[in-house]
């Protein structure tokens, strides 16, 4: 600075001397100038506060050191503080893109946050002064309000970190307070955390405390900064004790060496009791340690000289090698980066960091220190708290120590629970829900109508031949499978709780598997009974005997389903599919991978596949039986349709599971509807068509040939070369010309014949007579044919024969 006033001879002599070392300064502008000067003079300079990390880069400024850690080293403890307060996973960063300080700070913060697994939403803005300085036109998308609006639209992460340039603190806070009020983000749902320098003195000003919007914004907010021992330990701090012990002699000496002449701007004269009535300002401890580092460095460098004279380069190296306990704790310069700082800066692990609660709602003070991060135990308070711990394992030197409760904006010591706004839930659309319920209604009406129709017309020849006691379970099984459409058509948007939805999820495999078992066991029993009766032996096949295999399969399926329900946590799960936006999807699944739900599903599918296999086997054996008794072709068609639906539907549903709720629902709905509806349609439709004479039975099959139905016929017996009625040991049908008429058929009462009592030997003794229903031109006549009524040629081979 060029003095405009005349200088004394003493001052002129002092200014002509070459300095051997310099201590200071605080701001980047002067720190940069002093660093250049030290480089040109080849003398060391020790800064005690610098924001520009390049100032302590030995490649750029070889003579510069710093007793405070870099501002970038504050980032790691800052992130640990967020985690300590439960503000993890989601963080929004608001910074001025027009300021070098905030841009550099956000880059360092972003690296640490991502390393810790945070999801970060960054939004930048341009300050008013920067617009004027760079002649940037004001735009709606480059101010703080637009940045906050983008935060809300992108998921509204409720922990907002504001990086503030030290030269634009008031400007940034005022604009931020107005924008937060307009966006409704200052009501306590968000946690505001400020990161920068010189924020605490600003919070103490009347301009902040008298501004209602600033109070709403900063009340319960937090900031993290470096702290010194006298701030934490108070009167117990050694530096503060030494400060208070200074007497009048020290005050007089300081006044004497004041470089500013009395009466000039900036002149200050301390009173005799100055040290007793004033506390050191923040940063005083670091400046004291800068002076001590100069002396410690000179002592270290002097040991490497012969004549005791040291140059600036050696002195600077001695400062970097210093390791001592000063006013700010242990002062250790790092030769290799620990937190990313260059050599020549203070090792970040030897500093202390404090978290401050701004404008705490329960206290009438501008800020309070609530938490301390002191890795090396510089603070007496932290050391005493650690000594009081009985379990040494509870001591974590790399964690924050709570000194007093942190009170948030909501006047609670626990931060707001939500870390972000709830994302898009992908609820099922109403139109698709109506589609699923409509398809269920169609199938349910078909099943109920079929059951009623069977009961009403159960004595009709078509239904008696089809065995109605087995058709009714088929309708029940299809209805159970169709009921799954109801269970998958609801989610939380319908007002159902997670517990209720989980119960519906558990019910789905029960209804679908048991419905399938009922359907195919009924088909198996029906065909097995037909196959036994058409062996042309006098046997009685009662219904309960047919149900024994079905009962065993039901029991196995019941046990597997019961174990599946008890041993797995299968139920309603809402899964985050986009961690950044919070988008989620709800579906039935198991959250415990160790429970291996797919292994249980495999067991359930195997038990449900056995009835299908048995029904297919019996359908193959009875494929030559007339359709009135057996539905082999229709069963094959039903299995083919259902298998094709499974082959196409399962991969499609699996691909859409975490992609589209609506697509997955449509796939599952069509799959379940196809399976349930095909069962009732392909089994009942042929009966309805035959009932109304729309569809006729095929001929040339067992039980029907040339318009003649043969029942109650035993194996051939006797001799005299009588022609056998069996082909390869199985009946092939009997034809006769007695009264045969084109198109006339005899419909036998299968149930009456199969269950008619007979104690004779079915293999050797034929019945004396059989009751036959003759249907011709819509008339049903009953005729009993005895052995005396048959011609002689028939008596030799057949005891009883029915003809049309």
């Amino acid at each position: 600075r060029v003095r405009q006033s005349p200088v004394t001879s003493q001052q002129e002599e002092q200014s002509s001397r070459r300095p051997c070392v310099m201590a200071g300064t605080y701001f980047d502008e002067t720190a940069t100038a002093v660093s250049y000067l030290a480089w040109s003079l080849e003398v060391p300079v020790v800064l005690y506060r610098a924001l520009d990390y390049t100032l302590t880069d030995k490649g750029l400024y070889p003579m510069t050191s710093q007793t405070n850690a870099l501002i970038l080293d504050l980032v790691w403890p800052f992130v640990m503080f967020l985690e300590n307060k439960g503000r993890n996973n989601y963080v929004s960063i608001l910074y001025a893109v027009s300021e070098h300080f905030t841009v550099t700070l956000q880059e360092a913060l972003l690296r640490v946050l991502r390393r810790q697994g945070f999801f970060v939403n960054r939004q930048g803005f341009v300050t008013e002064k920067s617009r004027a300085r760079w002649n940037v036109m004001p735009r709606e998308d480059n101010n703080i309000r637009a940045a906050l609006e983008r935060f809300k639209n992108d998921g509204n992460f409720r922990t907002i970190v504001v990086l503030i340039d030290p030269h634009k603190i008031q400007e940034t806070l005022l604009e931020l307070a107005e924008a937060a009020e307009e966006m409704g983000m200052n009501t306590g749902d968000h946690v505001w955390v400020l990161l920068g320098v010189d924020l605490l003195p600003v919070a103490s000003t009347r301009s902040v405390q008298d501004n209602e919007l600033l109070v709403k914004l900063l009340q319960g907010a937090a900031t993290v900064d470096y702290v010194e021992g006298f701030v934490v330990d108070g009167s117990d701090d050694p530096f503060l004790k030494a400060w208070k012990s200074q007497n009048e002699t020290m005050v007089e000496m300081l006044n004497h060496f004041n470089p500013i002449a009395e009466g000039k701007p900036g002149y200050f004269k301390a009173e005799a009791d100055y040290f007793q009535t004033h506390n050191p300002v923040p940063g005083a401890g670091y400046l004291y340690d800068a002076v001590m580092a100069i002396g410690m460095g000179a002592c270290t460098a002097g040991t490497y000289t012969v004549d005791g004279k040291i140059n600036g380069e050696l002195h600077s190296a001695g400062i970097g090698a210093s390791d001592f306990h000063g006013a700010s704790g242990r002062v250790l310069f790092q030769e290799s980066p620990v937190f990313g700082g260059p050599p020549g800066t203070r090792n970040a692990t030897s500093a202390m960091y404090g978290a401050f609660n701004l404008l705490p709602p329960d206290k009438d003070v501008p800020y309070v220190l609530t938490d301390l991060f002191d890795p090396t135990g510089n603070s007496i308070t932290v050391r005493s708290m650690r000594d009081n711990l009985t379990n040494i394992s509870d001591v974590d030197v790399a964690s924050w120590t709570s000194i007093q409760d942190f009170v948030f904006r909501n006047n609670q010591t626990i931060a707001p629970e939500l870390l972000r706004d709830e994302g898009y839930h992908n609820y099922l659309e109403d139109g698709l829900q109506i589609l699923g319920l409509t398809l269920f209604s169609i199938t349910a009406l078909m099943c109920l109508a079929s059951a009623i129709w069977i009961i009403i017309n159960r004595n009709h020849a078509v239904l008696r031949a089809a065995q109605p006691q087995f058709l009714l379970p088929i309708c029940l099984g299809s209805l159970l499978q169709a009921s799954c459409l109801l269970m998958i058509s609801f989610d939380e948007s319908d007002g159902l709780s997670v517990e209720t939805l989980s119960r519906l999820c558990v019910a789905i495999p029960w209804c679908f598997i048991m419905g399938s078992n009922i359907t195919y066991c009924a088909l198996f029993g029906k065909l097995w009974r037909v196959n036994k009766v058409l062996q042309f032996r006098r046997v009685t096949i009662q219904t309960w005997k047919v149900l024994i295999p079905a009962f065993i399969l039901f029991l196995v399926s019941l046990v597997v389903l019961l174990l599946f329900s008890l041993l797995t946590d299968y139920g309603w799960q809402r899964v985050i599919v986009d961690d950044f936006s919070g988008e989620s999807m709800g579906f039935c699944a198991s959250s415990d991978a160790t429970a291996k739900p797919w292994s249980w599903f495999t067991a359930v599918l195997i038990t449900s596949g056995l009835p299908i296999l048995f029904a297919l086997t019996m359908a193959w054996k009875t494929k030559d039986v007339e359709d009135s008794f057996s539905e082999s072709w229709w069963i094959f068609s039903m299995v083919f349709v259902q298998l094709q639906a499974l082959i196409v539907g399962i991969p499609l549903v699996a691909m859409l599971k975490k992609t589209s709720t609506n697509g997955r629902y449509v796939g599952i709905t069509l799959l379940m509807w196809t399976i349930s509806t095909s069962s009732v349609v392909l089994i009942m439709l042929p009966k309805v068509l035959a009932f109304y004479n729309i569809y006729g039975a095929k001929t040339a099959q067992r039980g029907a040939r040339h318009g003649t139905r043969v029942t109650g016929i035993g194996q051939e017996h006797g001799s005299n070369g009588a022609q056998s009625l069996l082909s390869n040991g199985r009946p092939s049908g009997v034809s006769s010309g007695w009264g045969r008429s084109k198109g006339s058929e005899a419909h036998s009462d299968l149930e009456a014949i199969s269950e008619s009592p007979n104690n004779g030997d079915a293999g050797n003794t034929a019945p004396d007579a059989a009751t036959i229903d003759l249907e011709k031109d819509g008339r049903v006549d009953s005729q009993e044919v005895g052995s005396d009524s048959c011609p002689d040629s028939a008596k030799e081979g057949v005891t009883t024969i029915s003809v049309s």
Side-chain angles (χ1 to χ4, degrees):
R1 177 179 298 179
V2 179
R3 294 180 180 271
Q4 300 298 328
S5 59
V7 297
T8 63
S9 59
Q10 182 182 5
Q11 290 174 336
E12 187 176 317
E13 181 183 356
Q14 289 178 352
S15 63
S16 64
R17 294 177 183 176
R18 177 188 178 91
C20 61
V21 69
M22 291 180 287
T25 64
Y26 189 87
F27 294 107
D28 282 356
E29 290 82 355
T30 53
T32 302
V34 170
S35 296
Y36 274 120
L37 180 61
W39 185 18
S40 63
L41 297 176
E42 296 183 349
V43 297
V45 58
V46 181
L47 309 175
Y48 72 98
R49 181 74 166 188
L51 306 180
D52 188 354
Y53 63 92
T54 62
L55 288 173
T56 51
D57 187 346
K58 291 299 184 181
L60 299 175
Y61 305 96
M63 309 304 292
T64 304
S65 301
Q66 178 172 300
T67 55
N68 197 351
L70 291 177
I71 187 65
L72 298 182
D73 292 331
L74 189 63
V75 168
W76 182 261
F78 175 79
V79 174
M80 294 177 62
F81 170 75
L82 294 179
E83 294 177 327
N84 181 264
K85 296 304 178 183
R87 311 310 295 177
N88 47 10
N89 295 337
Y90 303 98
V91 167
S92 295
I93 300 178
L94 182 65
Y95 68 103
V97 296
S98 55
E99 308 302 328
H100 174 72
F101 170 76
T102 55
V103 171
T104 304
L105 189 57
Q106 72 87 20
E107 290 175 352
L109 179 60
L110 180 64
R111 286 195 298 268
V112 177
L113 287 172
R114 286 181 173 173
R115 188 186 308 169
Q116 292 298 103
F118 280 72
F119 295 97
V120 183
N121 187 0
R122 295 177 296 164
Q123 297 295 340
F125 63 93
V126 180
T127 61
E128 292 290 343
K129 290 184 179 180
S130 298
R131 295 192 192 103
R133 183 177 60 186
W134 300 106
N135 196 23
V136 177
M137 294 296 296
R139 294 195 334 222
E140 294 182 355
D141 61 344
N142 63 5
N143 55 26
I144 292 181
R145 185 198 176 282
L148 295 185
E149 187 175 3
R150 289 192 292 269
F151 278 147
K152 298 198 73 171
N153 294 336
D154 292 343
N156 195 13
F157 295 177
R158 299 197 177 190
T159 303
I160 303 179
V161 179
V162 185
L163 309 182
I164 302 179
D165 186 272
H167 305 294
K168 300 178 177 64
I169 297 177
Q170 290 278 9
E171 172 193 350
T172 303
L173 288 179
L174 285 173
E175 188 177 352
L176 178 61
E178 294 174 358
E181 173 71 15
E182 186 177 353
M183 300 299 298
M185 301 174 70
N186 58 358
T187 59
D189 294 332
H190 296 76
V191 175
W192 294 89
V193 189
L194 310 182
L195 186 58
V197 295
D198 299 331
L199 297 174
L200 297 178
V202 173
S204 304
T205 60
R206 298 303 306 176
S207 61
V208 171
Q209 299 181 24
D210 293 340
N211 190 306
E212 182 182 355
L213 295 183
L214 284 175
V215 171
K216 291 180 67 175
L217 174 69
L218 298 179
Q219 192 173 54
T223 186
V224 176
D225 204 347
Y226 297 100
V227 294
E228 298 153 272
F230 62 85
V231 178
V232 181
D233 301 327
S235 58
D236 295 330
D237 180 64
F239 177 72
L240 187 59
K241 287 181 179 180
W243 176 280
K244 296 292 185 181
S245 66
Q246 302 305 310
N247 53 25
E248 297 179 5
T249 304
M250 173 62 71
V251 175
E252 183 180 355
M253 182 178 65
L254 292 176
N255 286 331
H256 174 73
F257 283 107
N258 190 343
I260 302 177
E262 187 175 355
K264 299 300 178 181
Y267 174 78
F268 176 80
K269 182 179 180 180
E271 300 297 332
D273 61 347
Y274 175 82
F275 287 99
Q276 286 72 42
T277 58
H278 293 76
N279 287 327
V281 296
Y286 294 109
L287 181 56
Y288 175 87
D289 289 339
V291 176
M292 292 297 104
I294 292 173
M296 298 292 293
C299 294
T300 303
T303 60
Y304 292 93
T305 63
V306 177
D307 55 0
K309 295 181 179 180
I310 60 174
N311 56 27
E313 184 179 358
L314 188 59
H315 193 178
S316 180
I319 293 173
S322 301
D323 184 0
F324 62 94
H325 287 272
S328 60
R330 183 186 179 187
V331 180
L332 174 65
F333 295 93
Q334 58 185 26
E335 290 297 332
S336 59
V338 176
F339 286 93
T345 62
R346 183 172 179 172
N347 193 313
T349 59
S350 69
M352 289 189 297
Y353 309 84
F356 296 87
N357 192 182
L358 301 179
L359 302 179
D362 61 338
K363 296 181 178 66
D364 189 18
V365 293
Y367 60 86
V368 293
L369 178 66
T370 59
D371 299 84
L372 191 68
F373 181 67
D374 185 12
T376 55
N378 293 317
S379 170
I380 298 174
T381 302
V382 173
R383 290 200 302 267
S384 63
M385 294 179 68
R386 291 174 181 173
D387 293 340
N388 292 332
L389 293 175
T390 56
N391 188 356
I392 193 63
S393 62
D394 294 335
V395 179
D396 186 1
V397 297
S399 64
W400 283 84
T401 301
S402 178
I403 300 175
Q404 56 180 307
D405 290 336
F406 190 102
V407 183
F408 293 90
R409 175 73 169 81
N410 57 6
N411 206 23
Q412 301 291 327
T413 58
I414 300 176
E417 182 179 358
L418 287 180
L419 299 177
R420 53 157 304 130
D421 283 356
E422 294 187 9
Y424 183 59
H425 292 296
N426 286 289
Y427 289 135
L428 182 64
E429 292 184 1
D430 294 338
L432 294 179
Q433 186 183 50
I434 294 174
L435 172 64
L437 297 179
T438 302
L439 293 178
F440 164 75
S441 301
I442 293 174
T443 305
L445 289 175
M446 292 174 58
C447 294
L448 294 176
S450 298
I452 295 174
W453 180 75
I454 292 171
I455 294 174
I456 294 176
N457 300 286
R458 63 185 179 276
N459 292 323
H460 192 276
V462 172
L463 292 178
R464 294 179 70 184
Q467 307 182 74
Q469 68 270 33
F470 292 106
L471 295 180
L472 290 175
I474 294 175
C475 296
L476 175 61
S478 298
L479 182 61
L480 280 177
Q481 288 184 310
S483 65
C484 296
L485 297 176
L486 278 178
M487 303 170 192
I488 65 173
S489 298
F490 300 97
D491 53 27
E492 297 94 336
S493 63
D494 299 296
L496 301 182
S497 64
V498 176
E499 292 76 11
T500 302
L501 292 172
S502 295
R503 295 190 185 100
L504 293 178
C505 289
V506 174
I508 290 175
W510 280 84
C511 292
F512 193 81
I513 299 302
M514 298 306 286
S516 175
N517 287 353
I518 290 174
T519 299
Y520 282 99
C521 284
L523 290 174
F524 166 73
K526 180 178 182 299
L527 298 180
W528 186 42
R529 197 164 185 244
V530 169
N531 186 58
K532 286 295 184 180
V533 168
L534 294 182
Q535 295 296 327
F536 287 86
R537 292 183 175 90
R538 177 66 66 174
V539 292
T540 300
I541 308 298
Q542 297 180 352
T543 304
W544 68 269
K545 292 183 179 180
V546 179
L547 295 178
I548 293 178
F551 176 77
I552 296 175
L553 292 174
F554 273 127
L555 185 61
V556 174
S557 299
L558 181 66
V559 171
V560 175
L561 287 171
L562 187 61
L563 292 176
F564 167 75
S565 302
L566 295 177
L567 300 181
T568 66
D569 63 341
Y570 187 77
W572 183 259
Q573 306 290 337
R574 181 154 292 278
V575 179
I576 302 294
V577 296
D578 188 338
D579 292 319
F580 184 84
S581 64
E583 182 182 0
S584 64
M585 287 188 176
F587 46 79
C588 297
S590 176
S591 61
D592 186 7
T594 59
K596 298 180 180 179
W598 284 108
S599 62
W600 289 102
F601 273 122
T602 303
V604 170
L605 291 176
I606 291 176
T607 57
S608 64
L610 291 177
I612 300 176
L613 183 62
F614 292 161
L616 286 174
T617 303
M618 197 54 60
W620 178 260
K621 289 185 177 181
T622 58
K623 65 183 184 299
D624 58 339
V625 176
E626 192 230 334
D627 289 346
S628 298
F629 303 132
S630 170
E631 304 87 356
S632 299
W633 188 87
W634 297 102
I635 293 176
F636 289 137
S637 300
M638 181 179 70
V639 174
F640 175 77
V641 170
Q642 296 180 1
L643 183 62
Q644 190 176 32
L646 290 172
I647 293 175
V648 175
I650 291 179
L652 182 63
V653 171
M655 289 188 296
L656 296 174
K657 181 177 182 181
K658 294 185 179 181
T659 304
S660 171
T661 298
N662 295 326
R664 185 185 71 251
Y665 175 79
V666 170
I668 296 177
T669 299
L670 294 179
L671 178 62
M672 290 185 171
W673 185 76
T674 301
I675 292 176
S676 59
T677 307
S678 63
S679 299
V680 66
V681 169
L682 294 178
I683 298 300
M684 295 304 305
L685 182 61
K687 313 304 178 198
V688 176
L689 296 178
F691 182 87
Y692 292 103
N693 294 323
I694 301 175
Y695 168 80
K698 296 180 181 179
T699 59
Q701 295 179 333
R702 264 196 294 172
R705 187 173 183 181
H706 303 298
T708 303
R709 302 233 175 178
V710 183
T711 59
I713 300 177
Q715 289 184 350
E716 178 187 6
H717 66 284
S719 56
N720 299 329
Q723 184 178 4
S724 174
L725 294 179
L726 300 178
S727 174
N728 296 328
R730 295 179 65 89
S732 58
V734 176
S735 62
S736 174
W738 300 343
R740 191 176 70 184
S741 174
K742 182 178 180 181
S744 64
E745 294 182 353
H747 293 272
S748 67
D749 184 355
L750 179 62
E751 182 178 1
I753 295 175
S754 61
E755 294 184 357
S756 58
N758 180 26
N759 297 325
D761 187 351
N764 299 320
T765 306
D768 293 335
T771 301
I772 312 300
D773 289 338
L774 301 177
E775 181 181 0
K776 181 178 180 181
D777 297 330
R779 299 192 314 274
V780 178
D781 299 325
S782 180
Q783 174 182 348
E784 188 167 293
V785 184
S787 57
D788 294 336
S789 303
C790 296
D792 294 339
S793 60
K795 291 182 180 180
E796 305 237 349
V798 182
T799 303
T800 304
I801 185 170
S802 61
V803 298
S804 63

